[in-house]
Amino acid sequence: MIERRYDEEYKKIAEYYNKSGGDASKFLRKDIVSVIISGNEVIGRNTVDGVDLKVEKIKNGIEMWLDIADNVVVENPVHLCTGYLKPEGTQEVLIHVKAGKQSKVSFLSHCVFPNGKKFTHRMISDSVLEEGAEIRYEDVHYHSEDGGVTVEAIYNAKLEKNARYDNSFHLTKTRVGKMKVEMKVDLGERASANIETKVYEKSDDSLNVLEELNLNGEGSSGIAKTTVFATENSEVNIVNRAFGNAPYSRGHIECNEIVKGNGVKVGTVPELYVKNEKAELTHEASIGRVNIKQLETLMAKGLTEEEATQLIVRGMLK
Amino acid sequence: MIELENITLIRDKNVILEELSAEFDKDKVYAVLGNNGVGKSSLAYIIMGLEDYRNYKGTIKFNGKSIDNKDTYERAKLGITLGWQEPARYDGLTTREYLNLGGKINASQKKLKKTLEIVGLSEHYLDRPVDGSLSGGERKRIELASAILLKPKVVILDEPDSGIDLMSTDMIERVLNHLKNSGTTVILITHREEISYMADEAYLMCGGKIIAEGQVDEIVSFYRDMCDSCSHINEPNKGGELNK
């Protein structure tokens, strides 16, 4: 339910939410958990049985708690929409998620800052997944084309035995501005995680990514993957890190940075640390132009180099 | 349609192709037969003008005009294309997007389905990604489907049967017939005799040279007798009597 005084604001946010790939019609459904934030206000919210939702206003933003009860399977994705329509300001969003034993929930989070010229958004998400719980989190950002948006997106997740956590961050449709993405996951016994960041940088965008897997439980496994298409004068630094701390833990980190433009500055640092002789960690990285064979295959079908690159990148960032 | 005149390609001081001349006429299927490593794929790549294969000596003509200065995509625009021996894989792109070249071609569902049928795949493949989840054989079939959809004037098929089970040679024949009936000249690169028999004429390569050309039966017979058991691969001058 949207409060009447926020009708106009909601319409604008919904418009950009749809542009970012979301479906704003879902916000108004009673069977879908949703939270809509505009600036420092919650302008709409809904929850369903088994999901306890609490929201509080804090200085410059919102703090929310989502508790999913044991054994609850939330059928429809929880929709989180964070918008800020003014060109200047600061917004902080703190999210605490507790997924009870054997519960299952997915999140579709869209952050839209279409007018930001001197705007900072900071989001910290802390998730606890109890035994056998599953969380899938998809975070899609839509920033202004001005490049004046600064974003910090920090995700921390603690997984107990047999829990599963997937987190995917996407910013591929608009300018990035200045951004830091940090994902850290602690995995317990036989827990598994798949974390991924996909970003398309333009102009003088700047990006720092840290993805970290702490494989603390026996038989735990995880994949951390970053894909960035850096163009023009953009800058990107990526650290993919994994700790193999337990027997039979397995981790894989992967970084693909595709570069186009002479002003681009890109770097990647893979870090693997093993503290147990039965742990197994691998990494894979590529940095530079688009894979020549992929490129020439499409050029041999009549695409120019530019068209072929766009198609390849479109697939990679999908 | 395509003429190669005295083509020499040297890479890292190694002679890959040497004074090679050949002609490929309209509406015909040509086999280019030879053992592994004799320069067959390099021949395909210089015709296509790939980045590392453009620094050759000699001339390649298409319909009487030199294409030596043309980029890969410009050659493709003229109607020349290549079906790769090991096709590239693409994360995130579906078969439909790949076949339609991201919207450059707009083949209907019916057309896509029919094309996939020719290569022995169902329409369910249209929504599958052309990434590592496909087997080499499946990916190869999609590459052949792509060659059909492009309706090229000339297609070079580099080892079209590699990665595909032996029982599927009838599929390769179906693809070749379809291309031929559509007015496409096919250059069929292979080291297998049974695939060569699908061609109208054949060239035999050794050591970066064409060492024989003519009727498929004769060339295959020569290849079987002289090349299969050859102990001096890529040294054509030490071979038997050549019919060129």
Side-chain angles (χ1 to χ4, degrees):
Chain A
M1 198 69 176
I2 307 296
E3 289 184 42
R4 188 174 289 175
R5 62 190 167 132
Y6 294 126
D7 266 357
E8 284 307 306
E9 212 163 331
Y10 170 71
K11 274 181 196 164
K12 281 182 187 159
I13 285 179
E15 180 192 332
Y16 289 109
Y17 183 84
N18 287 334
K19 279 184 185 174
S20 72
D23 179 2
S25 67
K26 302 263 170 71
F27 288 140
L28 305 173
R29 277 174 48 176
K30 292 275 181 202
D31 58 342
I32 289 181
V33 181
S34 63
V35 180
I36 309 160
I37 300 164
S38 177
N40 303 327
E41 303 285 342
V42 175
I43 64 170
R45 56 189 280 189
N46 185 54
T47 193
V48 298
D49 285 346
V51 180
D52 185 35
L53 171 65
K54 192 176 142 199
V55 184
E56 275 182 16
K57 204 169 160 178
I58 57 171
K59 190 191 173 194
N60 291 329
I62 297 296
E63 185 163 12
M64 71 174 88
W65 291 261
L66 269 150
D67 280 12
I68 297 104
D70 291 354
N71 302 308
V72 166
V73 176
V74 184
E75 277 190 27
N76 295 305
V78 173
H79 280 61
L80 300 177
C81 179
T82 307
Y84 199 97
L85 298 173
K86 292 179 206 158
E88 294 185 4
T90 300
Q91 182 186 51
E92 275 195 3
V93 178
L94 307 176
I95 304 171
H96 309 277
V97 179
K98 195 193 91 178
K101 288 176 185 169
Q102 310 299 333
S103 66
K104 207 182 266 191
V105 62
S106 61
F107 290 83
L108 276 179
S109 169
H110 288 244
C111 294
V112 294
F113 315 123
N115 306 315
K117 288 187 188 300
K118 209 176 167 185
F119 167 69
T120 300
H121 167 85
R122 186 175 298 114
M123 188 284 303
I124 302 174
S125 161
D126 291 310
S127 301
V128 175
L129 289 77
E130 294 185 347
E131 187 175 337
E134 282 185 33
I135 289 184
R136 284 178 194 279
Y137 200 98
E138 189 182 321
D139 199 352
V140 180
H141 275 231
Y142 188 96
H143 297 179
S144 76
E145 288 301 337
D146 181 79
V149 173
T150 300
V151 165
E152 267 187 44
I154 297 169
Y155 309 84
N156 299 305
K158 186 170 168 49
L159 281 62
E160 294 179 3
K161 188 177 173 181
N162 290 327
R164 175 165 183 89
Y165 178 73
D166 286 354
N167 189 353
S168 177
F169 179 95
H170 288 221
L171 203 176
T172 58
K173 292 189 175 164
T174 60
R175 285 281 308 274
V176 172
K178 288 182 175 45
M179 188 162 70
K180 172 181 158 185
V181 179
E182 191 177 296
M183 295 185 189
K184 290 185 176 176
V185 187
D186 288 342
L187 295 101
E189 191 182 334
R190 290 196 300 277
S192 66
N194 194 343
I195 55 177
E196 181 180 52
T197 305
K198 291 187 174 184
V199 178
Y200 186 156
E201 286 194 302
K202 305 179 191 84
S203 190
D204 61 349
D205 287 340
S206 169
L207 171 69
N208 281 284
V209 177
L210 168 64
E211 292 180 342
E212 184 178 295
L213 299 169
N214 292 281
L215 300 157
N216 299 323
E218 185 169 332
S220 58
S221 62
I223 297 172
K225 186 174 176 181
T226 309
T227 305
V228 177
F229 183 42
T231 67
E232 300 175 61
N233 297 306
S234 58
E235 201 175 333
V236 55
N237 289 294
I238 295 167
V239 178
N240 302 102
R241 186 184 289 155
F243 293 89
N245 296 332
Y248 309 109
S249 59
R250 285 178 297 124
H252 177 73
I253 59 173
E254 186 175 331
C255 178
N256 297 301
E257 289 177 72
I258 299 163
V259 173
K260 198 167 191 313
N262 291 328
V264 171
K265 288 182 194 165
V266 297
T268 178
V269 182
E271 292 184 29
L272 301 178
Y273 303 94
V274 167
K275 288 186 183 169
N276 187 289
E277 63 172 5
K278 288 175 180 162
E280 187 184 323
L281 302 179
T282 55
H283 81 86
E284 201 177 321
S286 67
I287 188 164
R289 70 189 280 201
V290 173
N291 177 285
I292 187 69
K293 188 167 179 182
Q294 291 181 333
L295 205 58
E296 288 191 320
T297 297
L298 295 172
M299 289 173 74
K301 297 178 194 301
L303 297 191
T304 63
E305 184 171 344
E306 181 68 31
E307 289 168 336
T309 302
Q310 288 296 331
L311 182 57
I312 293 163
V313 168
R314 198 171 87 192
M316 291 179 85
L317 295 180
K318 201 188 274 177
Chain B
M1 176 150 267
I2 285 200
E3 294 165 68
L4 308 178
E5 294 175 1
N6 300 317
I7 300 294
T8 296
L9 176 72
I10 300 172
R11 293 184 71 200
D12 302 325
K13 296 180 183 169
N14 297 314
V15 179
I16 309 295
L17 301 174
E18 189 178 358
E19 295 288 323
L20 185 149
S21 295
E23 275 187 47
F24 303 98
D25 292 333
K26 196 172 183 298
D27 298 343
K28 281 189 176 175
V29 177
Y30 292 86
V32 177
L33 189 62
N35 283 327
N36 291 330
V38 299
K40 303 189 301 296
S41 291
S42 297
L43 178 71
Y45 299 160
I46 59 138
I47 295 173
M48 205 62 248
L50 302 188
E51 190 174 277
D52 290 343
Y53 293 83
R54 226 172 286 156
N55 196 19
Y56 55 84
K57 287 178 187 160
T59 300
I60 301 175
K61 288 181 180 169
F62 179 71
N63 287 338
K65 289 181 183 168
S66 167
I67 57 170
D68 296 331
N69 293 325
K70 293 202 181 294
D71 200 346
T72 300
Y73 93 91
E74 290 170 319
R75 296 182 191 205
K77 291 264 185 207
L78 290 173
I80 306 168
T81 193
L82 169 65
W84 299 71
Q85 184 177 355
E86 287 178 27
R89 295 164 191 278
Y90 298 86
D91 282 342
L93 286 187
T94 62
T95 303
R96 185 193 307 277
E97 288 170 308
Y98 180 72
L99 292 176
N100 275 326
L101 297 175
K104 194 96 172 172
I105 299 176
N106 255 325
S108 65
Q109 176 77 12
K110 195 177 162 188
K111 178 80 182 165
L112 292 168
K113 184 185 170 191
K114 203 176 161 191
T115 309
L116 285 180
E117 274 171 11
I118 296 170
V119 299
L121 295 177
S122 72
E123 65 181 319
H124 301 300
Y125 277 83
L126 289 171
D127 295 321
R128 286 188 60 178
V130 281
D131 60 11
S133 64
L134 293 177
S135 72
E138 289 169 324
R139 184 67 193 86
K140 194 70 179 246
R141 287 168 193 262
I142 290 166
E143 196 61 9
L144 292 171
S146 173
I148 291 170
L149 275 170
L150 288 168
K151 296 180 188 160
K153 293 189 175 80
V154 178
V155 61
I156 312 155
L157 298 179
D158 192 359
E159 306 278 3
D161 57 316
S162 74
I164 296 176
D165 53 274
L166 289 172
M167 301 298 283
S168 298
T169 47
D170 59 335
M171 182 275 289
I172 307 281
E173 196 157 16
R174 211 160 52 229
V175 170
L176 291 177
N177 286 335
H178 183 92
L179 289 165
K180 198 178 167 185
N181 293 337
S182 308
T184 300
T185 299
V186 182
I187 302 172
L188 188 58
I189 287 173
T190 185
H191 65 277
R192 282 181 56 197
E193 294 170 22
E194 54 272 51
I195 297 294
S196 299
Y197 281 122
M198 297 176 190
D200 303 310
E201 292 181 27
Y203 287 95
L204 180 61
M205 280 187 74
C206 183
K209 297 176 178 177
I210 300 284
I211 60 166
E213 64 179 275
Q215 295 300 310
V216 175
D217 288 357
E218 290 172 22
I219 299 296
V220 169
S221 169
F222 183 89
Y223 175 69
R224 189 189 304 128
D225 295 342
M226 302 303 295
C227 300
D228 265 3
S229 56
C230 182
S231 60
H232 42 76
I233 291 170
N234 278 337
E235 292 181 293
N237 296 333
K238 291 184 183 174
E241 287 298 309
L242 309 182
N243 69 343
K244 190 180 178 186

